[in-house]
Amino acid sequence: MKLFVDSGIRSSKGGELKEGIEQQIAIPGKYTFFQVSTSELALANNDKYETEQIFVLGMTNGVTSKELEGKIEAFLLPKYHSNTKEDGKNGYNWQDSGEILPEVLNASSKLKLEAVETEKEYDSTHSFRYTADVGRYVYVRVKKGVQSFGGYILAKEFSAIERVPEFPEELQIIGNGSILS
């Protein structure tokens, strides 16, 4: 929608608009407001101070964990692309979701995503535990049709490729006491 304000308009508190203003305003609709805004593979400490691999999904509106069940998938991509030689230990650098063809998914292994409980029923950030080798690539997709708070619907499938982060080198002291030598 375009909003026009003509020149010559006067404010009730004084002053006059010398030049007209034209502004484009987006009005959210049922199929345009709700989108996936971020996806990230991260590391987080659990209650036992153990580092876990976490997939974090951010959305523009709150959605229930139950609504996401069965509509989000993660695949551990093959170390090497079928079109490249298997040389070197690093493997293929997956970056473009357009490269993920059915034959690539068939060569991939599906990751189990375990939902982390959220504080609110409708939350815009959801986290999932997963297990994958460090340095490998994960393809994530959220199927279209997910419904958020207010009846807004995810109109397009979301997909992204993320690299599994390395665990930090750390040392934690978990209790009081003396060091014996």
Side-chain angles (χ1 to χ4, degrees):
M1 179 171 100
K2 280 192 177 182
L3 178 66
F4 298 97
V5 179
D6 274 336
S7 61
I9 299 289
R10 294 176 190 235
S11 169
S12 61
K13 298 196 178 196
E16 184 176 321
L17 187 61
K18 300 211 187 286
E19 293 181 21
I21 298 174
E22 179 180 322
Q23 183 74 41
Q24 183 78 23
I25 300 172
I27 298 175
K30 183 175 184 175
Y31 296 99
T32 59
F33 177 68
F34 179 53
Q35 299 174 15
V36 176
S37 54
T38 60
S39 70
E40 175 187 13
L41 297 181
L43 301 171
N45 289 337
N46 63 17
D47 295 340
K48 298 175 187 172
Y49 301 104
E50 300 166 331
T51 304
E52 294 182 317
Q53 294 173 318
I54 302 289
F55 167 62
V56 182
L57 187 68
M59 292 154 282
T60 57
N61 198 25
V63 65
T64 63
S65 296
K66 187 171 179 86
E67 179 65 24
L68 285 174
E69 283 179 20
K71 295 179 182 160
I72 181 169
E73 298 176 302
F75 298 88
L76 184 63
L77 294 173
K79 189 166 185 177
Y80 298 99
H81 194 291
S82 60
N83 297 342
T84 62
K85 255 174 49 175
E86 292 185 19
D87 57 347
K89 63 178 182 173
N90 295 332
Y92 185 73
N93 186 13
W94 296 95
Q95 291 186 359
D96 182 11
S97 295
E99 293 180 287
I100 311 303
L101 303 171
E103 52 268 15
V104 173
L105 283 182
N106 289 338
S108 303
S109 53
K110 194 166 184 178
L111 289 177
K112 179 184 174 216
L113 295 176
E114 179 189 339
V116 176
E117 194 173 319
T118 60
E119 290 183 15
K120 302 178 272 186
E121 181 182 4
Y122 287 90
D123 210 329
S124 60
T125 303
H126 288 265
S127 300
F128 304 86
R129 288 182 195 90
Y130 72 96
T131 303
D133 294 335
V134 170
R136 295 286 299 272
Y137 288 89
V138 175
Y139 172 71
V140 179
R141 71 177 168 201
V142 181
K143 297 176 183 175
K144 69 180 183 177
V146 175
Q147 187 169 339
S148 71
F149 182 78
Y152 297 103
I153 296 173
L154 186 65
K156 291 190 274 185
E157 179 178 280
F158 170 83
S159 62
I161 297 174
E162 304 286 341
R163 189 171 187 175
V164 178
E166 291 189 27
F167 286 92
E169 292 183 24
E170 61 185 9
L171 173 67
Q172 295 179 352
I173 299 174
I174 58 173
N176 295 328
S178 302
I179 297 178
L180 302 175
S181 58

